[in-house]
Amino acid sequence: MASQEIDALAQALSRLPGLGPRSARRVVLHLMKKRETVLQPLLRALEMVEERLKTCSTCGNIDTSDPCGICADPRRDTRALCVVEDVSDLWALDRSRLFPGKYHVLGGRLSALDGVRPEDLNIDGLVARVAAGGIDEVVLAMNATLEGQTTAHYLAERLESYPIRLTQLAHGVPVGGELDYLDEGTLAQALRARRPVG
Amino acid sequence: MASQEIDALAQALSRLPGLGPRSARRVVLHLMKKRETVLQPLLRALEMVEERLKTCSTCGNIDTSDPCGICADPRRDTRALCVVEDVSDLWALDRSRLFPGKYHVLGGRLSALDGVRPEDLNIDGLVARVAAGGIDEVVLAMNATLEGQTTAHYLAERLESYPIRLTQLAHGVPVGGELDYLDEGTLAQALRARRPVG
């Protein structure tokens, strides 16, 4: 029943995470009913971001400026560098506001299965940043998956000759997690890394 | 951490139904990572719809043309008219593809509480369409709420002098509904409107 333009919009929306065909239609209707308060602001915000979208040439973050807001922030500690697989990991970590340093985005993880080799990731960029000096600690914040940990091991080897402290995120019971529902791997890690109370 | 432009986009997205602040951020990231395959198609689709958005001057539907696709469709039965409260009701009904006629959108329901009076709704337009002739049946497809039914009664009075068949949607047990979970009102309606088997 809907026109070609409306169908195209519903289809474009259904490609967003968390929206299926049904909710996309609901969003279309909402946009059309609230032209001035919802559709137009969204359109302007999208145009602005589309126009200014850049990949940071220093760390690989996606932002509307290059260097990105984090790399350009003078309050950030330049001596600590946190290496992540993906931009989404950077955003997730940075939302916690607990890491005061800078980031480095690899752009993926080593994977024999998917044919991702070291030269496919931004590893040379990382080594160059470390080699340039001024960095005391590199946090390897890979995902706790087999491929993430393989990548972390590879990076540790590549960086071992530099005078830096190399750390990784702690594994263990997630906050709010119930032991009963955790997998054996997590439990084993949590037990191995147990700490004195208090 | 994010730039002003990215924040603005996240905020605009969080105003869509079904998206909170958290999922809006996830969508922003997805859009930025898939600039060519997701962001740009969405932007073009939004621009197209924004540019062509119209309210049908005949029925009140929102579409990219006036008259809307339904009013302009020559295969539609012009003798049957289905009156709905809102554009979303029109879309919901038309998705079922069971009603072959045309529609009329009131733009709301009568409500003493919200101060919605007959002159605030597109009722004169409805009466004019019926008065113009050529319509055999008017289906009052108001919501099964107190205000929806009040509106239906008012419309029935306004239309009673015209030589049309006035009908309304059946009330009863929804398909897949379990009696145990239904409210008394629905059960009473279903019992009162019971039909012979077979």
Side-chain angles (χ1 to χ4, degrees):
Chain A
M1 60 144 276
S3 73
Q4 222 181 333
E5 292 90 350
I6 295 174
D7 271 346
L9 179 56
Q11 229 180 336
L13 283 166
S14 70
R15 249 174 266 140
L16 299 180
L19 288 179
R22 214 191 173 87
S23 41
R25 270 199 310 261
R26 210 152 55 95
V27 169
V28 169
L29 191 62
H30 188 77
L31 286 167
M32 294 175 79
K33 282 167 79 176
K34 314 249 165 163
R35 183 185 196 158
E36 259 120 75
T37 55
V38 181
L39 202 169
Q40 287 172 351
L42 177 61
L43 187 54
R44 276 193 296 270
L46 269 175
E47 276 168 343
M48 200 66 100
V49 165
E50 208 289 314
E51 199 179 294
R52 308 205 176 160
L53 204 57
K54 286 176 192 71
T55 299
C56 177
S57 52
T58 306
C59 74
N61 187 16
I62 306 177
D63 204 344
T64 48
S65 57
D66 178 19
C68 74
I70 294 176
C71 284
D73 187 346
R75 290 162 304 177
R76 289 269 175 175
D77 183 356
T78 53
R79 288 163 307 163
L81 190 66
C82 181
V83 186
V84 293
E85 294 178 19
D86 214 348
V87 178
S88 36
D89 301 327
L90 187 164
W91 285 33
L93 273 171
D94 212 57
R95 266 201 299 280
S96 74
R97 292 168 195 276
L98 287 172
F99 184 69
K102 310 243 170 174
Y103 291 90
H104 188 87
V105 180
L106 294 175
R109 64 217 62 95
L110 296 178
S111 167
L113 214 65
D114 300 333
V116 181
R117 294 153 308 165
E119 54 267 40
D120 298 322
L121 303 178
N122 187 13
I123 293 177
D124 287 343
L126 170 64
V127 174
R129 287 177 81 179
V130 172
I135 294 174
D136 294 340
E137 179 181 2
V138 171
V139 185
L140 299 177
M142 270 72 257
N143 287 323
T145 58
L146 184 63
E147 292 176 342
Q149 295 309 303
T150 306
T151 309
H153 280 128
Y154 177 83
L155 292 180
E157 267 176 37
R158 285 285 300 266
L159 296 173
E160 73 181 343
S161 58
Y162 296 97
I164 49 165
R165 201 149 51 92
L166 211 56
T167 57
Q168 61 176 350
L169 296 183
H171 294 305
V173 182
V175 175
E178 295 182 49
L179 299 192
D180 200 14
Y181 292 98
L182 283 175
D183 61 296
E184 272 177 52
T186 302
L187 281 177
Q189 293 267 20
L191 200 58
R192 221 176 293 143
R194 67 189 182 274
R195 301 180 310 155
V197 175
Chain B
M1 59 142 278
S3 73
Q4 222 182 334
E5 293 91 349
I6 295 175
D7 271 345
L9 179 56
Q11 230 180 334
L13 283 166
S14 69
R15 252 174 265 139
L16 299 179
L19 286 180
R22 214 192 172 84
S23 42
R25 271 201 309 262
R26 209 153 57 93
V27 169
V28 169
L29 191 63
H30 188 77
L31 286 167
M32 295 175 77
K33 282 166 78 176
K34 313 248 164 160
R35 182 184 198 159
E36 258 121 76
T37 55
V38 181
L39 201 168
Q40 288 172 350
L42 176 60
L43 187 55
R44 277 193 297 268
L46 269 174
E47 276 169 345
M48 199 66 100
V49 165
E50 208 289 315
E51 199 179 296
R52 310 208 175 157
L53 204 57
K54 285 176 193 70
T55 299
C56 178
S57 52
T58 307
C59 75
N61 187 17
I62 306 176
D63 204 347
T64 49
S65 58
D66 178 20
C68 73
I70 294 176
C71 284
D73 188 346
R75 290 161 303 178
R76 290 267 174 174
D77 183 356
T78 54
R79 289 164 305 162
L81 189 66
C82 181
V83 186
V84 292
E85 294 179 17
D86 212 350
V87 178
S88 36
D89 302 327
L90 187 163
W91 285 34
L93 272 170
D94 211 59
R95 265 202 298 281
S96 75
R97 292 166 194 276
L98 287 172
F99 184 69
K102 309 241 172 176
Y103 292 91
H104 189 87
V105 180
L106 294 175
R109 62 217 63 97
L110 295 178
S111 167
L113 214 66
D114 300 333
V116 181
R117 296 153 307 167
E119 53 267 40
D120 299 322
L121 303 178
N122 187 14
I123 293 178
D124 287 343
L126 170 65
V127 175
R129 287 178 80 177
V130 172
I135 294 174
D136 293 341
E137 178 181 1
V138 172
V139 185
L140 300 176
M142 269 73 255
N143 288 322
T145 58
L146 184 63
E147 294 177 338
Q149 295 308 302
T150 306
T151 310
H153 280 127
Y154 178 82
L155 292 180
E157 268 176 37
R158 287 284 300 267
L159 295 172
E160 73 181 345
S161 59
Y162 297 97
I164 49 165
R165 200 150 52 93
L166 211 56
T167 58
Q168 61 176 350
L169 296 184
H171 294 303
V173 182
V175 175
E178 295 182 50
L179 299 193
D180 199 14
Y181 293 98
L182 283 176
D183 61 297
E184 272 177 50
T186 303
L187 281 177
Q189 292 268 21
L191 200 58
R192 221 176 296 141
R194 65 188 181 276
R195 301 180 308 153
V197 175

